[in-house]
Amino acid sequence: MERFEALRDEWLKALDEAGTESEVLELKGRYVGKKRGKIPELLQDLKDAPPEERPALGQAVNKLKNEVEAAIEGALKRVRSARTRLEPVDVTLPGLSPNLGHLHPITRVRREIEEIFISMGYAVATGPEIEDPYHNFEALNTPADHPSRDIQDTFYLKNGGLLRTQTSPVQIRTMESRKPPIKIIAPGRVFRRDDDVSHSPMFFQVEGLVVDRGITMSDLKGTLLHFYRTLFQKDVTIRFRPSYFPFTEPSAETDLSCVICSGTGCPVCKRTGWLEVGGCGMVDPAVFGFVGLDPDEYSGFAFGLGIDRMAMLKYGIDNIKYFYESDMSFLEQF
Ligand code: DAH
């Protein structure tokens, strides 16, 4: 019994004097640790005591154990609260700056495109990504049996809706809700059942629409030329190649002199010196019919281009999928 008293005094004193958490934890291991702790040792020793003394000795060891455990808890509380109170703070150290992200390259290019058109007096319009066939096709002069619906392999929804295959429906929605003069661009996501190095099932387009009295195709060409020169910061040229879209007449493909080789021929322009960058044309009178505008009074031009394609050309990226894989080693380069 006396030995227990002595041990208890010794241990409580040591715990009282411990100044750091690791010192306390070290003592805890030494006194009550399961493998080599003193108290478990004492409990082992009880086996050698005479049977009649065992109950009293056992009680004494348990009492000791409780006291020591309480002292350990007390000591831990003491050193932990002392630490939070006394930990020195060096206010001259530089702060911890949070890890800031940055804009996705597609977002950057979209914003650049918006800025260029805003500077020419355009407004930025938006429309729903889940469209109805009327706005995505019919009102764009593309009836259900029209062969051009096959070109844009469509994701149809069970409720009769669809994921818009183009940003052109925003043209219709704009003309339905506003009177000319109209000068808008409509950037946004579009969806097609298409998947290879230059096609992703989801990608970004910008639609442009200008409607007013006396709008001509040279307005269209001048606008696109200014746009491409500003976007690529280069003295590029463009040419119109006759083409077909149901909602424009006449229609053209815009070719841009290659921004990589300046037209001398390289793998990006397939040695032609020209890059196909988007469709355009004069708004078809049939489209004006759908939105109730008089084609004798108004004329307009429209164009569509791919933001992904612009970003690939601007940054020299040869696979559209890189934009959508969330691979940090790619994204961090921008
Ligand atoms: N919507 C067309 C497409 O996705 C692109 C386009 C072509 C838009 C000509 C236009 C246009 O506004 O006039 O293929």
Side-chain angles (χ1 to χ4, degrees):
M1 289 293 183
E2 263 166 43
R3 209 176 119 220
F4 292 164
E5 297 273 297
L7 284 177
R8 192 197 59 194
D9 290 349
E10 180 195 325
W11 295 353
L12 295 194
K13 186 161 171 272
L15 282 166
D16 214 35
E17 285 168 359
T20 66
E21 185 171 347
S22 59
E23 277 172 43
V24 178
L25 290 175
E26 200 259 327
L27 291 174
K28 180 180 178 184
R30 194 181 318 162
Y31 302 153
V32 297
K34 288 221 169 51
K35 284 220 177 102
R36 240 165 272 140
K38 299 280 183 194
I39 290 191
E41 246 174 56
L42 290 175
L43 287 167
Q44 279 290 319
D45 292 349
L46 284 184
K47 284 197 213 114
D48 306 328
E52 65 277 13
E53 285 177 24
R54 268 185 222 158
L57 285 171
Q59 259 180 14
V61 177
N62 272 325
K63 185 164 166 262
L64 176 63
K65 182 176 171 230
N66 290 337
E67 282 172 343
V68 172
E69 276 175 350
I72 289 169
E73 283 314 307
L76 277 177
K77 261 205 198 113
R78 176 173 52 77
V79 293
R80 283 178 181 154
S81 78
R83 185 185 56 191
T84 42
R85 254 186 294 116
L86 296 179
E87 189 130 309
V89 174
D90 182 349
V91 294
T92 66
L93 284 175
L96 295 176
S97 48
N99 254 334
L100 279 185
H102 62 72
L103 295 178
H104 191 282
I106 295 282
T107 306
R108 274 180 53 174
V109 173
R110 172 175 59 75
R111 289 195 184 178
E112 278 178 48
I113 294 172
E114 289 173 2
E115 288 305 319
I116 296 169
F117 281 102
I118 287 169
S119 78
M120 288 193 271
Y122 284 67
V124 177
T126 56
E129 291 173 2
I130 295 177
E131 261 298 1
D132 51 63
Y134 177 78
H135 287 91
N136 195 80
F137 290 123
E138 256 94 335
L140 287 160
N141 198 29
T142 318
D145 57 356
H146 198 283
S148 82
R149 280 213 192 178
D150 299 343
I151 308 172
Q152 300 185 358
D153 238 339
T154 309
F155 290 108
Y156 286 97
L157 306 177
K158 284 211 179 86
N159 65 5
L162 50 80
L163 300 184
R164 67 178 178 191
T165 58
Q166 49 189 351
T167 41
S168 307
V170 185
Q171 281 189 30
I172 303 299
R173 292 185 177 278
T174 304
M175 288 187 282
E176 280 172 344
S177 64
R178 292 179 34 190
K179 288 261 154 287
I182 290 170
K183 251 173 115 174
I184 56 123
I185 55 161
R189 287 188 170 82
V190 298
F191 308 83
R192 292 185 198 176
R193 299 173 49 141
D194 221 349
D195 208 359
D196 60 43
V197 289
S198 53
H199 296 96
S200 155
M202 187 282 291
F203 60 105
F204 287 84
Q205 277 188 342
V206 180
E207 188 76 13
L209 175 71
V210 172
V211 181
D212 202 350
R213 296 189 177 88
I215 299 295
T216 69
M217 203 157 188
S218 56
D219 294 323
L220 168 61
K221 196 167 184 186
T223 299
L224 290 178
L225 182 62
H226 172 75
F227 164 69
Y228 284 113
R229 287 192 170 160
T230 314
L231 181 66
F232 289 103
Q233 297 283 301
K234 267 192 187 156
D235 207 15
V236 289
T237 54
I238 59 172
R239 70 179 184 191
F240 279 177
R241 208 156 22 81
S243 184
Y244 171 76
F245 296 99
F247 35 91
T248 42
E249 183 58 37
S251 302
E253 287 289 346
T254 308
D255 286 344
L256 174 68
S257 60
C258 181
V259 294
I260 312 288
C261 65
S262 301
T264 55
C266 71
V268 175
C269 60
K270 302 195 184 82
R271 317 229 159 261
T272 62
W274 294 97
L275 301 162
E276 194 178 307
V277 284
C280 64
M282 301 307 290
V283 179
D284 193 302
V287 172
F288 283 142
F290 278 101
V291 294
L293 287 178
D294 180 359
D296 290 331
E297 185 176 359
Y298 293 109
S299 61
F301 66 71
F303 59 85
L305 52 97
I307 303 181
D308 307 69
R309 176 107 164 105
M310 295 302 121
M312 288 168 81
L313 290 171
K314 230 176 133 72
Y315 297 123
I317 295 159
D318 59 8
N319 187 337
I320 193 173
K321 296 298 155 46
Y322 292 147
F323 289 133
Y324 303 116
E325 286 171 342
S326 298
D327 178 348
M328 292 307 286
S329 60
F330 170 76
L331 294 173
E332 275 167 355
Q333 297 175 42
F334 300 92

